[in-house]
Amino acid sequence: MSSRVFKLISEEAHRQKYGLEMIPSENYVSANVLKALGSILTNKYSEGFPGRRYYGGNEVIDKIENYASDLAKKLFGVPLAFMQSYSGSPANMAVTMAVCQPGEVVMGLALSSGGHLTHGAHLNFSSIFYKAVNYSVGKDWKIDFVELEKLAKKHKPKLIWVGTTAYPYKLEYKKFRKIADLVGATLVADIAHIAGLIAGGVHESPVKYVDIITTTTHKTLRGPRGAMIMVTSLGLKRDPEMKAKIERAIIPGIQGGPHNHQTAAIAVSLEEALKPSFKRYAAQVVSNAKVLAKELGTISEVHLILLSLTNYGYGLGYQAQYALEEAGMTVNKNTIPGEPASPFYPSGIRLGTPALTSRGMKEKDMVKVAGWIKRALEEIRGLDLPKEQEKRKDFLKEIKEKLHKSINLKKIRKEVEAFAGKFPVPGIQ
Ligand SMILES: Cc1ncc(COP(=O)(O)O)c(C=O)c1O
């Protein structure tokens, strides 16, 4: 253990144990997932697919990849599951390549409305190599299906994404299917954020309504970083060539050899997600989010909360993230729908309960957490973002230093550390 890296890992372990991790796309994996991820499977090259590899020596790797795929098919109830995408973004790129020719139209929820970069955002491959059209949320922060239908009829997309990164409501897949059918689009659900809720039965599954599903494996699903692509019976009916098209998009399209240690660790997490205890976990995640949201004066139907800070002042996302971090709580600044400040200096924060719930926290704990959040947020009152753009960078640097010295935030941090330290984290002593 002489490498400097292990010292740094210990430092990070301390942060993960004594802080409250509330980034809604993060989680704590089990000790068995960690074990598979850190295994000798990382030594092997396996370009190609089971039974059709470019290299020898893949008998065991074939069994692992097939097993992982079978578990995914069983968990989500789909006929096809591909396990090789390195992460969510390359999975989405592979699906876009499989469905669309360069220059064809893809539609997805705008980044500023809670969509993901790969669904057609500026500067992303999805808008560089394809014609991206974005739909958005309305004044009620919910997806505007009237606008979506209008845009679909006008632009005739080849692919419509339904998936979110910062959306606190449940998704109504049936409504998306109706619109996709009006224009003959392939409908793809990116369930990255809510995969664990779907697997746990607390969010409707898109399987009946969409053609393809992509997901990361490291968020609510509680696996290692990674991704899966799944095709539904509807998707196979729409295009019987879909299997070959997706495989070609993965390799040679965008990737080389799969990460076998990652595939094995995903399989371990899928085994865990198939157990009855995972259903209880998923229900608790949502129940905790509902309580936390209510205590903070807002609403959540899923695992995450999008909190507007406009009641505290102007453009306070950064300031809130800094203050909460000083108080031992990790969240991220986020734009809110109709962002009144700036996409770079937003007016909200995004937080969630998947990681806290994995540590065994319940509703009564969320009331305490909300109390600490509210106390920490009192420290950002009066720290409004300057209206003059050129002053903003220096202003935030000053604010960060000021918050670092705050006695009140230090006090909260002590309480948070004493509380968090009582909840075990797998893989951390
Ligand atoms: C909905 C959605 N899709 C895709 C991704 C991309 O995943 P990755 O960060 O693994 O590339 C994310 C990540 O936040 C996401 O929220």
Side-chain angles (χ1 to χ4, degrees), residues 87-90 92 116 164-165 190 192-193 216 218-219:
S87 212
S89 303
N92 288 354
H116 190 256
T164 58
T165 66
D190 176 350
H193 260 264
T216 55
H218 47 271
K219 299 186 172 90

Short mmCIF file of all heavy atoms in Angstrom, two decimals, residues 87-90 92 116 164-165 190 192-193 216 218-219, ligand 1:
data_model
loop_
_atom_site.label_atom_id
_atom_site.label_comp_id
_atom_site.label_asym_id
_atom_site.label_seq_id
_atom_site.Cartn_x
_atom_site.Cartn_y
_atom_site.Cartn_z
N SER A 87 -20.31 3.69 -20.63
CA SER A 87 -21.07 4.52 -19.71
C SER A 87 -22.32 5.01 -20.44
O SER A 87 -22.56 4.64 -21.60
CB SER A 87 -20.20 5.69 -19.23
OG SER A 87 -20.55 6.04 -17.90
N GLY A 88 -23.10 5.86 -19.77
CA GLY A 88 -24.39 6.28 -20.34
C GLY A 88 -24.25 7.04 -21.66
O GLY A 88 -25.01 6.79 -22.61
N SER A 89 -23.27 7.93 -21.74
CA SER A 89 -23.14 8.74 -22.95
C SER A 89 -22.79 7.90 -24.18
O SER A 89 -23.44 8.03 -25.22
CB SER A 89 -22.11 9.86 -22.75
OG SER A 89 -22.51 10.64 -21.64
N PRO A 90 -21.77 7.00 -24.09
CA PRO A 90 -21.53 6.14 -25.25
C PRO A 90 -22.70 5.21 -25.57
O PRO A 90 -22.91 4.85 -26.74
CB PRO A 90 -20.27 5.35 -24.89
CG PRO A 90 -19.85 5.76 -23.54
CD PRO A 90 -20.69 6.90 -23.09
N ASN A 92 -25.83 6.04 -25.35
CA ASN A 92 -26.76 6.88 -26.11
C ASN A 92 -26.22 7.18 -27.50
O ASN A 92 -26.98 7.28 -28.47
CB ASN A 92 -27.05 8.17 -25.33
CG ASN A 92 -27.92 7.90 -24.11
OD1 ASN A 92 -28.38 6.78 -23.93
ND2 ASN A 92 -28.14 8.90 -23.29
N HIS A 116 -30.77 15.50 -20.87
CA HIS A 116 -29.35 15.17 -20.82
C HIS A 116 -28.62 15.66 -22.07
O HIS A 116 -29.21 15.76 -23.15
CB HIS A 116 -29.14 13.65 -20.68
CG HIS A 116 -27.71 13.31 -20.39
ND1 HIS A 116 -26.86 12.80 -21.33
CD2 HIS A 116 -26.97 13.47 -19.26
CE1 HIS A 116 -25.65 12.63 -20.80
NE2 HIS A 116 -25.70 13.03 -19.53
N THR A 164 -34.56 11.94 -18.40
CA THR A 164 -34.29 13.20 -17.71
C THR A 164 -33.12 13.06 -16.74
O THR A 164 -32.77 11.95 -16.32
CB THR A 164 -35.52 13.60 -16.89
OG1 THR A 164 -35.80 12.53 -15.99
CG2 THR A 164 -36.75 13.84 -17.75
N THR A 165 -32.56 14.20 -16.38
CA THR A 165 -31.51 14.21 -15.35
C THR A 165 -31.88 15.09 -14.16
O THR A 165 -31.24 15.02 -13.12
CB THR A 165 -30.17 14.75 -15.88
OG1 THR A 165 -30.34 16.11 -16.20
CG2 THR A 165 -29.70 14.03 -17.10
N ASP A 190 -34.39 6.78 -21.98
CA ASP A 190 -33.12 6.78 -21.25
C ASP A 190 -33.50 6.82 -19.78
O ASP A 190 -33.85 7.88 -19.23
CB ASP A 190 -32.30 8.02 -21.65
CG ASP A 190 -31.02 8.14 -20.85
OD1 ASP A 190 -30.86 7.40 -19.87
OD2 ASP A 190 -30.18 8.99 -21.22
N ALA A 192 -31.67 6.26 -17.17
CA ALA A 192 -30.48 6.32 -16.30
C ALA A 192 -30.82 6.68 -14.86
O ALA A 192 -30.41 5.99 -13.92
CB ALA A 192 -29.47 7.30 -16.87
N HIS A 193 -31.59 7.76 -14.68
CA HIS A 193 -31.85 8.22 -13.31
C HIS A 193 -32.79 7.32 -12.54
O HIS A 193 -32.66 7.18 -11.33
CB HIS A 193 -32.41 9.65 -13.34
CG HIS A 193 -31.35 10.66 -13.03
ND1 HIS A 193 -31.16 11.16 -11.77
CD2 HIS A 193 -30.40 11.20 -13.81
CE1 HIS A 193 -30.13 11.99 -11.79
NE2 HIS A 193 -29.66 12.04 -13.03
N THR A 216 -27.78 4.07 -17.43
CA THR A 216 -26.54 3.88 -16.71
C THR A 216 -26.83 2.85 -15.63
O THR A 216 -28.00 2.58 -15.32
CB THR A 216 -26.06 5.18 -16.04
OG1 THR A 216 -27.10 5.68 -15.21
CG2 THR A 216 -25.68 6.25 -17.06
N HIS A 218 -25.09 3.03 -12.58
CA HIS A 218 -24.50 3.49 -11.32
C HIS A 218 -25.34 4.48 -10.53
O HIS A 218 -24.86 5.06 -9.56
CB HIS A 218 -23.13 4.11 -11.61
CG HIS A 218 -23.11 5.08 -12.75
ND1 HIS A 218 -22.87 4.68 -14.05
CD2 HIS A 218 -23.28 6.41 -12.82
CE1 HIS A 218 -22.89 5.72 -14.85
NE2 HIS A 218 -23.15 6.80 -14.13
N LYS A 219 -26.58 4.70 -10.95
CA LYS A 219 -27.37 5.69 -10.20
C LYS A 219 -28.31 4.93 -9.26
O LYS A 219 -27.82 4.25 -8.36
CB LYS A 219 -28.09 6.60 -11.19
CG LYS A 219 -27.10 7.38 -12.09
CD LYS A 219 -27.81 8.37 -12.96
CE LYS A 219 -26.84 9.27 -13.69
NZ LYS A 219 -26.41 8.76 -15.00
C1 LIG B 1 -30.44 10.63 -18.28
C2 LIG B 1 -28.98 10.42 -18.41
N1 LIG B 1 -28.50 9.82 -19.50
C3 LIG B 1 -27.18 9.61 -19.69
C4 LIG B 1 -26.27 10.00 -18.74
C5 LIG B 1 -24.82 9.85 -19.05
O1 LIG B 1 -24.18 8.94 -18.30
P1 LIG B 1 -22.59 8.97 -18.14
O2 LIG B 1 -22.29 10.11 -17.25
O3 LIG B 1 -22.33 7.62 -17.55
O4 LIG B 1 -22.00 9.12 -19.51
C6 LIG B 1 -26.71 10.62 -17.58
C7 LIG B 1 -25.73 11.05 -16.57
O5 LIG B 1 -25.92 11.88 -15.76
C8 LIG B 1 -28.09 10.86 -17.41
O6 LIG B 1 -28.56 11.47 -16.33
#
